[in-house]
Amino acid sequence: MSIRPWRDIQRRQSRQIMVGNVAVGGGAPVTVQTMTNTPTEDARATIDQIRRCEDAGADIIRVSCPDEASTAALKQIVRAAKVPIVADIHFHYKRALEAADAGAACLRINPGNIGSAERVAEVVRAAKANGCSMRIGVNAGSLEKDLLEKYGEPCPEALVESALDHIKLLQDHDFHEYKVAVKASDVFLAVSAYMGLAEAVDCPLHLGITEAGGLIGGTVKSAIGIGNLLWAGIGDTIRVSLSAEPEEEVRVGFEILKALGIRNRGVRVVSCPSCARQGFDVIRTVQTLEERLQHIRVPLSLSVLGCVVNGPGEARETDIGLTGGGAGKHMVYLSGVTDHTVQDADMVDHIVRLVEAKAAEIEAAEAAQAQAAE
């Protein structure tokens, strides 16, 4: 037990699969995914978007493959990507065969939508031959007709039964390199379905609240749903579904993981909502700092508080702290200790330089430690 047991999360034990060179499940770090929204046949536009998602920290990226033109472009896309590419297949089994041959690390399918048992067998053979894993994607919005008739509406039991039916199709062909999602736009439905599935299977689970909404509303719904499950120890990989650019999905995904202490990447900002006591414009300052510090990948913490009520206390818990003072003169803390003051005009540039220097210091220390261990 840790010294802060109230922060401990006991992760569900699952077996591990590989998505390309990225481990999912079996105690591996929870990975963050997103999906491109460019026409996949436009390889250059898709690769450019993938690059932005990679820069934001995406571990795995999915691309839709609805037609032959998309799978034809996939080979170039896979070759250019630095992270594993998942091919999103919905109905035509031949797209799955083409995507596997093109180098997709994973096929996202509903085996029940692929067609006959022989077509499922053909997809499995292609996946095995090319070293592809699969993701079974069950969605409340596209449940099988017989399950809707049986249960009357999408419900947790229907989602779980659908997932188990699809799992059996793969297991019947001795294929076990799969992860499963049971998504819904309703947070209560999705969370309940995932909890039920977590008890029924040992495979890795891909978390998401589907069709969650725009940047703000979708972030809130995803944080509640995905965060609830992760806090309960459920989930091995996540995708935050937003009506926003895919790199924003990645950033929100990492913020959820950072809030739970599951994974840390980049700057964790602690900031106050601001009030009449603020010694500087906290809201605008935080917005600017978050934009200018997006390139930082090393985990570190920054507190930005407008006054001395809570500022010193928060600064003690962060790598770098800024607390508003009077007459445009503000206090800077380093490693929790009062260090020096900074004027309004230089404040943002100064904090950016301090964060960049701290990140470089941490990277150098980690490199030296790694070299010493060799």
Side-chain angles (χ1 to χ4, degrees):
M1 184 178 291
S2 73
I3 61 171
R4 297 184 180 92
W6 62 88
R7 296 185 63 185
D8 292 346
I9 293 176
Q10 299 300 321
R11 287 186 65 189
R12 161 184 171 268
Q13 293 297 311
S14 67
R15 56 188 173 80
Q16 189 172 98
I17 68 167
M18 298 299 296
V19 178
N21 61 354
V22 174
V24 176
V30 177
T31 53
V32 176
Q33 303 192 27
T34 187
M35 186 175 183
T36 58
N37 56 28
T38 52
T40 305
E41 66 268 21
D42 186 342
R44 176 42 51 199
T46 303
I47 291 167
D48 287 345
Q49 192 171 72
I50 286 172
R51 198 69 73 232
R52 293 194 296 274
C53 295
E54 290 170 338
D55 289 342
D59 300 298
I60 299 168
I61 297 175
R62 180 158 48 115
V63 301
S64 184
C65 293
D67 48 38
E68 286 186 76
S70 298
T71 52
L74 192 62
K75 190 170 186 178
Q76 180 184 350
I77 292 167
V78 167
R79 195 164 52 240
K82 299 174 185 174
V83 300
I85 297 298
V86 177
D88 192 79
I89 312 295
H90 277 277
F91 296 106
H92 209 301
Y93 81 104
K94 285 190 176 180
R95 303 293 85 78
L97 306 181
E98 293 159 2
D101 289 340
C106 180
L107 305 175
R108 187 275 190 190
I109 63 168
N110 276 352
N113 289 344
I114 294 297
S116 66
E118 177 49 40
R119 288 183 175 180
V120 173
E122 205 171 336
V123 172
V124 169
R125 285 194 293 270
K128 287 182 175 179
N130 290 281
C132 291
S133 57
M134 292 195 199
R135 171 161 78 89
I136 295 171
V138 175
N139 194 304
S142 56
L143 271 175
E144 295 90 327
K145 185 178 178 181
D146 64 313
L147 290 176
L148 287 175
E149 291 175 352
K150 176 179 179 179
Y151 290 99
E153 65 175 0
C155 62
E157 294 79 10
L159 289 171
V160 172
E161 185 171 334
S162 177
L164 295 177
D165 288 345
H166 290 132
I167 286 170
K168 187 175 185 303
L169 286 173
L170 296 185
Q171 290 180 334
D172 285 347
H173 295 287
D174 195 30
F175 190 86
H176 307 281
E177 297 300 303
Y178 57 82
K179 49 194 171 80
V180 184
V182 281
K183 295 186 178 183
S185 59
D186 181 281
V187 174
F188 296 94
L189 174 55
V191 170
S192 182
Y194 274 112
M195 287 183 168
L197 186 63
E199 293 181 358
V201 299
D202 69 346
C203 62
L205 298 184
H206 170 115
L207 303 187
I209 305 299
T210 194
E211 286 97 36
L215 182 57
I216 295 177
T219 293
V220 172
K221 285 180 68 175
S222 297
I224 293 170
I226 296 173
N228 189 311
L229 290 163
L230 290 171
W231 201 337
I234 296 170
D236 304 285
T237 184
I238 67 173
R239 190 259 172 122
V240 177
S241 298
L242 301 175
S243 300
E245 293 306 317
E247 53 265 43
E248 295 296 339
E249 295 186 348
V250 178
R251 295 187 185 107
V252 172
F254 269 103
E255 288 299 326
I256 292 172
L257 296 179
K258 282 158 64 175
L260 291 168
I262 292 173
R263 272 185 79 183
N264 290 305
R265 181 188 190 277
V267 182
R268 177 176 63 86
V269 177
V270 176
S271 61
C272 67
S274 80
C275 69
R277 294 190 306 266
Q278 63 182 355
F280 58 87
D281 187 338
V282 173
I283 294 174
R284 249 56 64 183
T285 299
V286 170
Q287 287 175 341
T288 303
L289 285 170
E290 286 183 334
E291 290 170 5
R292 291 187 56 181
L293 295 174
Q294 285 183 8
H295 64 291
I296 302 294
R297 301 187 180 191
V298 175
L300 56 88
S301 53
L302 167 67
S303 57
V304 181
L305 287 99
C307 75
V308 297
V309 172
N310 293 318
E314 294 292 352
R316 280 196 296 270
E317 304 297 325
T318 54
D319 295 302
I320 297 167
L322 174 67
T323 296
K329 189 176 180 182
H330 316 298
M331 183 57 67
V332 176
Y333 304 77
L334 301 180
S335 301
V337 178
T338 303
D339 193 85
H340 60 275
T341 60
V342 63
Q343 297 290 333
D344 264 336
D346 306 317
M347 183 175 63
V348 170
D349 288 341
H350 184 70
I351 295 299
V352 168
R353 287 194 296 270
L354 288 175
V355 171
E356 289 175 337
K358 183 65 176 180
E361 176 189 325
I362 294 171
E363 284 183 326
E366 290 176 348
Q369 188 176 14
Q371 189 173 11
E374 291 178 355

